[in-house]
Amino acid sequence: MNRLKIGLAGLVISMSCAAWAESEFTVYSGYQSSPHSTVENTNTGKSFYTGWEGKPFSFPIYLGLRYTDWVTDDWGYAVNYAHTKAYSTDLNSSSNTGTSGNSYTRLEFTDGANPVTVIAMRRFTYRSIRPHVGAGIGISVPHVEVTWSGNKTFEYQYGGPVATLLAGFNYPISDKWNLLTEFQMHYMMIDVAITGGRLKTNLITNALNVGVSYRF
């Protein structure tokens, strides 16, 4: 009898989890920016401190995609891709001049720093709104666009590890569709090859997102 009770309890739990499980596909965009960071060139052994612009509404625009699997009603995991961008604001300044007068005339990730992360998700219920938070890790695949002292690099590369944090709200508008508002942050440890050396920087991108999700 005890084994029967345990079996029935397990069946109820399994059925409950199956009822909770759902998936979402989300598309989002918004306003994305980046704070200053230090850029190091291993060829010259020099570094300089630069500001960054995100230019989220210039082509190619800032855009994100996310697949979320809600394993229970409250917990899930997501695979997130964000087409974040960064343009140095301090080209040809005295601070970016290396040895023998070497300096940058181009330093940007126009076709994206491109973080791809796996995120643990937690959501809550507040009246008709579903707040959510998440944290995860992954990699970046930046399009490196660097010109310094006539040396040019223009290609996609593996950039390094990424940490992601996000928090936001879902607003159900039907049985299948949600509207989304969200803050999303990526911390990217960029270490890429450039002609004649390597370029390193810890790039942070912050974004205020709006989007739409489809549940299935």
Side-chain angles (χ1 to χ4, degrees):
M1 180 62 69
N2 287 337
R3 290 182 179 179
L4 178 60
K5 290 180 179 179
I6 293 172
L8 289 173
L11 179 62
V12 170
I13 293 172
S14 298
M15 292 176 65
S16 298
C17 289
W20 285 334
E22 67 180 55
S23 297
E24 287 181 340
F25 182 74
T26 304
V27 179
Y28 59 84
S29 186
Y31 182 78
Q32 175 246 311
S33 63
S34 295
H36 287 65
S37 70
T38 299
V39 175
E40 178 187 356
N41 185 326
T42 62
N43 179 275
T44 64
K46 298 291 185 178
S47 62
F48 75 100
Y49 194 57
T50 184
W52 299 97
E53 287 185 286
K55 299 184 181 180
F57 307 118
S58 298
F59 184 81
I61 66 169
Y62 164 65
L63 184 70
L65 304 172
R66 182 161 69 237
Y67 167 78
T68 307
D69 185 19
W70 294 105
V71 181
T72 73
D73 192 46
D74 298 323
W75 291 94
Y77 66 89
V79 179
N80 188 82
Y81 163 75
H83 183 264
T84 60
K85 300 186 296 176
Y87 302 74
S88 173
T89 61
D90 295 291
L91 299 183
N92 294 321
S93 69
S94 59
S95 63
N96 83 21
T97 301
T99 59
S100 303
N102 295 334
S103 62
Y104 297 88
T105 55
R106 186 174 190 176
L107 173 55
E108 59 191 62
F109 305 101
T110 306
D111 285 320
N114 301 318
V116 181
T117 51
V118 177
I119 303 172
M121 301 286 290
R122 175 77 162 93
R123 66 181 177 181
F124 311 88
T125 300
Y126 178 74
R127 297 181 180 176
S128 60
I129 301 173
R130 301 225 65 177
H132 65 271
V133 295
I137 57 174
I139 64 170
S140 66
V141 188
H143 191 261
V144 184
E145 301 173 37
V146 176
T147 303
W148 67 282
S149 284
N151 299 301
K152 183 178 180 180
T153 304
F154 190 84
E155 62 185 11
Y156 287 100
Q157 296 186 37
Y158 166 71
V162 178
T164 299
L165 295 173
L166 57 84
F169 300 88
N170 279 288
Y171 309 90
I173 56 176
S174 73
D175 291 341
K176 295 293 185 180
W177 294 93
N178 288 341
L179 295 179
L180 167 80
T181 59
E182 180 180 87
F183 169 78
Q184 188 176 124
M185 184 275 287
H186 298 287
Y187 182 89
M188 292 173 274
M189 301 176 67
I190 303 291
D191 183 351
V192 292
I194 58 175
T195 303
R198 299 192 69 83
L199 182 140
K200 299 180 180 181
T201 190
N202 293 331
L203 182 66
I204 299 173
T205 60
N206 299 309
L208 293 175
N209 298 327
V210 293
V212 61
S213 296
Y214 177 74
R215 300 194 303 273
F216 54 96

